[in-house]
Amino acid sequence: MGGSIGYGSNVSGPGAGGAILIAAALDINITGVIDASGGYGVMGDGVIIRGSGGAIRLIGQNLTGNAPSGQSVVGNLLALPGGRIRIEGSLSPTLVNNPETIGVPPANPPILWPAANAPKARVVSVDGAVPTRPLDPYAPLVAAADIAIQNNAPVNILIETRDFPIEGVVQLAVIQKFDGRSWLPATRINGDINVATWRVTTTLPQGFVTLQARATQP
């Protein structure tokens, strides 16, 4: 899915990055830029706001590319800020991506559209507070937040998985406003393959952050 729109008072929110899927039976060679970054907007007081990054997914045998001559952008694949890039195939070091990712083998045959019972992971609470917009969080990173907490001590962040084996690995990304990102491991506290709850205990950095859950099957 794509990113979330930007938000600010007295201004229309800038657009978010969209969702891009490219699948090929053989190789994919990118000589330009695939950009799913969020758009920019300016509030009445001159503060610049931005929609969050979207998602890019590439499926092929070998994924290669070179930065186009004269371009000042960072890399060939862009999903800023806080977007996601997934590469299913052999990833060449010449294909630069931001945010960084790794290549994983595609399924055989590749799965383009997840089934209804495909594994899922989502953040369900932060320090006891539940998101008010769980289906489409705004993630504005300015002026407002989906969850507002005031706690400088470690907090519990709960993640729910569905149709996911408990032997798998669940992680939480804490993404700061200017795209600093760290992945933290989650511990399962109850549940089974059908529905399970996982916990991450951490001290969140001051200011706005985006939280993303990731589940990796064994």
Side-chain angles (χ1 to χ4, degrees), residues 29-183:
N29 181 47
I30 299 171
T31 58
V33 177
I34 297 177
D35 194 344
S37 298
Y40 288 91
V42 181
M43 297 176 63
D45 55 5
V47 175
I48 297 175
I49 60 176
R50 188 174 186 181
S52 64
I56 299 173
R57 182 185 178 202
L58 303 181
I59 305 173
Q61 291 187 9
N62 298 289
L63 291 301
T64 61
N66 294 284
S69 176
Q71 290 279 359
S72 60
V73 296
V74 182
N76 299 100
L77 306 178
L78 298 174
L80 300 173
R84 301 289 292 271
I85 297 175
R86 179 174 175 84
I87 304 294
E88 297 180 38
S90 177
L91 176 60
S92 168
T94 63
L95 183 56
V96 183
N97 46 88
N98 194 348
E100 293 185 3
T101 188
I102 61 173
V104 298
N108 187 18
I111 301 173
L112 298 185
W113 311 114
N117 62 346
K120 304 174 185 66
R122 67 187 184 102
V123 176
V124 294
S125 72
V126 180
D127 197 27
V130 178
T132 57
R133 295 176 288 268
L135 296 180
D136 184 21
Y138 284 1
L141 300 183
V142 63
D146 297 305
I147 296 178
I149 64 172
Q150 296 180 353
N151 194 341
N152 294 324
V155 300
N156 290 324
I157 301 169
L158 299 185
I159 299 170
E160 178 190 86
T161 59
R162 291 181 176 270
D163 302 302
F164 181 74
I166 59 176
E167 298 81 8
V169 175
V170 175
Q171 296 173 296
L172 177 76
V174 179
I175 306 167
Q176 299 185 54
K177 183 174 181 178
F178 297 102
D179 217 41
R181 179 190 303 250
S182 59
W183 285 99

